Amino acid sequence: MSQTKNCLPAAFIERLTHIVPAAQLDSVLASMQHPRRTAFRINTLMDEAARVLPALQQAGFRLEPLNRMAGAYSVPAGQRRALTESEPYHRGAIYIQNPASMLPPLLLQPQPGERVLDLAAAPGSKTLQLAAMMDNRGWISAVEVVRERFFRLRRNLDKHGAQIVHTYNKDGSRVWRQVAEQFDRVLLDAPCSSEGQFTTLEPESFRYWSRKKIKEMSRKQKRLLYSAIQCVKPGGLVLYSTCTFAPEENEAIVSKMLRKFSGRLEVVPVEVALENSVPGLSGWNGRRYAPELQQALRILPNELMEGFFVCLLRKTGSTMGDD
Ligand code: SAM
């Protein structure tokens, strides 16, 4: 067994053995002890690939395009620092973002002209990606409750040329009362226990992990997903994502909402051909989840990607009156 086991919390590893398929467990654990390649998106709100890529190549970056992610590239981990000192980085023409974190906007597929809500937005990686996909046309509301993170979000949006984003320093779990059924698409990239980002290279990444934290997060996520569903128009889409493995923060949260909004909410199957993805769990720790949850996707961490959970939902009927 890999050495990672000695460093990560034993209770976390024990849980993981029941969450990750046995065949992938060792490679998942191994991925937590090596630096990942650094991925970035060309920020089309500021410049185009035809100008940015040659500049990076001339500066000596060894770029590799990311499979099935247009406009996204990676460089070896050792070039990360130089990338953050490069000219395109300084003027906001590229944005460093893990490829797993690029998936939620790609699956939500916002269209120019639409009204989109990003309910847990800071530091704004996905808000910026949404704005770029919408070609700066339409309306994005971005909500962030933590004040310092809210200002970081604002700075990031300004630096990277997002013009259609309206920011709100508010608790996302409450906003639905003001904006019920007003959005075409809602992204909830929820606060979570962040297990998918654990790395033995930075013990800080797992220092605060506990079962209690998972419970605390799942309470927040339930309220936020409820709000996200209330905010989307009938017929609209909600993308729920976390960067954690804990089923209590993933399948369990969506399963509860499917039960609560039975007949008015459905899981939309996502098709992503990634060799490091597995279906959502059908159950865990003695609990069964709605069978549709197997159409959600778990991204297992590897040499490029962090761990993620994504589930796309469609609201098929009004949920007004559900209070
Ligand atoms: N989507 C972001 C990105 O791609 O850059 C990352 C979001 S991070 C996983 C979750 C964020 O939700 C944190 O910034 C956290 O402060 C914020 N948050 C936590 N509780 C919230 C709430 N009740 N309402 C709004 N934001 C909240």
Side-chain angles (χ1 to χ4, degrees), residues 11-249:
F12 164 69
I13 306 236
E14 209 282 319
R15 284 172 53 96
L16 210 57
T17 60
H18 301 290
I19 297 171
V20 171
Q24 278 105 325
L25 187 61
D26 270 358
S27 66
V28 163
L29 288 170
S31 79
M32 295 181 187
Q33 51 186 336
H34 298 294
R36 296 200 163 87
R37 289 181 68 85
T38 295
F40 66 91
R41 287 186 294 107
I42 307 280
N43 177 24
T44 53
L45 298 170
M46 296 294 282
D47 206 344
E48 52 191 51
R51 257 198 302 266
V52 178
L53 292 176
L56 288 171
Q57 274 154 344
Q58 273 160 29
F61 290 100
R62 302 205 301 281
L63 305 176
E64 268 182 27
L66 295 185
N67 266 347
R68 293 178 283 271
M69 290 189 180
Y73 297 80
S74 72
V75 295
Q79 290 196 313
R80 183 185 182 94
R81 173 129 186 234
L83 196 64
T84 63
E85 291 166 355
S86 68
E87 185 272 337
Y89 180 87
H90 277 300
R91 64 183 176 86
I94 61 170
Y95 190 91
I96 294 180
Q97 187 176 348
N98 187 268
S101 151
M102 297 179 196
L103 276 176
L106 290 175
L107 295 172
L108 189 60
Q109 281 288 315
Q111 303 297 311
E114 286 186 335
R115 282 178 72 85
V116 176
L117 171 63
D118 185 350
L119 202 51
S125 320
K126 299 180 191 68
T127 322
L128 285 168
Q129 195 182 345
L130 295 168
M133 290 174 77
M134 293 165 72
D135 206 13
N136 252 341
R137 284 183 283 145
W139 175 291
I140 299 177
S141 293
V143 180
E144 170 57 48
V145 74
V146 178
R147 206 172 149 73
E148 309 85 77
R149 290 181 65 84
F150 171 77
F151 288 113
R152 187 165 163 218
L153 166 71
R154 298 267 303 236
R155 284 195 302 276
N156 244 344
L157 296 173
D158 283 348
K159 173 180 173 184
H160 295 91
Q163 288 159 7
I164 57 168
V165 184
H166 305 258
T167 52
Y168 304 89
N169 184 203
K170 281 180 186 282
D171 177 352
S173 60
R174 293 168 181 266
V175 298
W176 67 271
R177 290 187 188 276
Q178 281 99 55
V179 288
E181 306 207 322
Q182 288 194 11
F183 293 91
D184 299 295
R185 295 174 208 244
V186 178
L187 173 65
L188 174 56
D189 183 39
C192 69
S193 58
S194 304
E195 295 169 339
Q197 298 181 335
F198 285 4
T199 165
T200 57
L201 305 173
E202 287 168 42
E204 278 296 304
S205 67
F206 51 86
R207 177 170 297 180
Y208 302 105
W209 181 88
S210 67
R211 290 190 178 90
K212 193 165 157 236
K213 169 122 179 154
I214 291 174
K215 269 205 191 110
E216 177 196 322
M217 286 298 157
S218 70
R219 275 193 295 272
K220 281 190 189 173
Q221 290 152 349
K222 223 180 302 160
R223 297 178 62 227
L224 281 163
L225 185 54
Y226 177 88
S227 182
I229 293 164
Q230 293 289 29
C231 289
V232 79
K233 293 175 186 172
L237 293 168
V238 175
L239 191 293
Y240 178 73
S241 59
T242 72
C243 62
T244 207
F245 298 105
E248 301 95 316
E249 300 182 56

Side-chain angles (χ1 to χ4, degrees), residues 265-285:
L265 189 67
E266 64 184 21
V267 177
V268 181
V270 290
E271 275 149 40
V272 185
L274 287 174
E275 66 284 355
N276 59 321
S277 71
V278 291
L281 300 178
S282 55
W284 190 72
N285 211 13

